[in-house]
Amino acid sequence: KGERDALVARAEEFAASRYAVALHRGAGLPEGEREAVARELAGMLGLDVGFVLDSNLRVSASAFRKELLRETGKTFGRFDARMVGYDAGKLGGYPDYDASYNLIYGAYASTMNDYVRRSLGFESDLPYEILTGKVHPWNYDGFTNKFVNVAGDVASSVRTNRDLRYFIACGHYDLATPPAAIRHTLAHIELPDGARDRFEFGYYEGGHMMYTNVAALAALKRDLARFIGAR
């Protein structure tokens, strides 16, 4: 844990300084500096320097999940990087599937289908589906030709409601919404003085759904109970 936290702190410092500058300079980055940044990034990710350079210093989460364990034929999860899966072959740029999603899909779907019918008494022939493609096409009204970003809505909610507080639960092994990315987003929204104190973070030994780890579930429950009861 201590070693992991030290690496995370080092990676965040690197991402906010030398790495950010290198990406900003693009083709204007001198070759020597490019190689130095690639070596540092490769060391943190456990990848070959050549792979990082061939990726133009931009290793996506999906490429990382495929490349790190490529020689073994294994990949690891997007929702939870602790979960390991096996691809059909070693070639390709991305994993065949998300191991962390496949491991929980059956339990989630069957439990929810049982709950809504047995406990809630809701009767329907429709199955409960998780991350289904049947809801497409998505409605992007308000975000046409833009990426979806609700950070402005979060900032507005805090400015207009002085009693509103946010609790943000983060899993250490979440590659879908990494904790540092959340903090980066919140650092760039406009808020009144003192308003940032109304955001509280909790960090857990798990992934995107940290509550699949029983110990993390207990810790999350305690933190949420304290947060709700604080006012």
Side-chain angles (χ1 to χ4, degrees):
K1 181 179 178 180
E3 189 174 322
R4 180 204 62 205
D5 291 346
L7 176 60
V8 169
R10 177 185 159 207
E12 290 182 3
E13 187 277 329
F14 168 69
S17 56
R18 299 178 298 284
Y19 185 52
V21 171
L23 296 182
H24 177 73
R25 296 187 68 180
L29 185 67
E31 192 58 34
E33 292 183 32
R34 181 182 302 277
E35 292 181 0
V37 169
R39 281 195 298 273
E40 190 166 4
L41 180 58
M44 293 179 188
L45 296 178
L47 300 178
D48 182 76
V49 176
F51 180 83
V52 174
L53 286 170
D54 289 343
S55 302
N56 196 25
L57 304 182
R58 294 163 174 82
V59 180
S60 70
S62 294
F64 175 49
R65 290 169 47 223
K66 178 70 175 183
E67 183 65 20
L68 183 65
L69 304 176
R70 185 184 295 275
E71 290 305 311
T72 67
K74 298 177 183 178
T75 62
F76 54 94
R78 175 175 179 263
F79 287 127
D80 192 331
R82 299 173 304 163
M83 307 302 174
V84 176
Y86 298 84
D87 276 2
K90 297 180 181 180
L91 298 180
Y94 306 102
D96 291 346
Y97 63 98
D98 180 356
S100 57
Y101 175 65
N102 282 54
L103 282 172
I104 64 172
Y105 176 82
Y108 269 42
S110 59
T111 300
M112 189 63 184
N113 273 294
D114 178 76
Y115 175 66
V116 297
R117 289 166 174 79
R118 191 195 306 268
S119 300
L120 300 183
F122 175 76
E123 296 296 334
S124 173
D125 292 332
L126 296 174
Y128 178 80
E129 299 194 45
I130 301 175
L131 297 181
T132 177
K134 294 181 179 179
V135 298
H136 293 173
W138 295 106
N139 184 346
Y140 279 94
D141 287 350
F143 296 102
T144 303
N145 296 324
K146 298 185 292 184
F147 64 87
V148 178
N149 184 355
V150 298
D153 296 322
V154 172
S156 177
S157 68
V158 174
R159 289 195 299 267
T160 56
N161 185 345
R162 290 181 293 178
D163 294 319
L164 182 63
R165 297 177 299 136
Y166 280 88
F167 183 88
I168 303 168
C170 302
H172 287 299
Y173 307 102
D174 179 7
L175 293 182
T177 56
I182 300 172
R183 295 197 304 272
H184 176 83
T185 298
L186 292 180
H188 289 80
I189 62 177
E190 297 293 333
L191 292 174
D193 291 342
R196 296 187 190 279
D197 295 338
R198 288 189 262 151
F199 291 88
E200 182 176 335
F201 283 80
Y203 298 90
Y204 305 94
E205 292 294 314
H208 193 68
M209 293 79 74
M210 69 289 295
Y211 39 80
T212 58
N213 178 346
V214 176
L217 172 63
L220 176 63
K221 191 269 181 184
R222 289 194 300 268
D223 290 345
L224 285 174
R226 175 190 49 75
F227 177 78
I228 293 171
R231 278 286 185 71

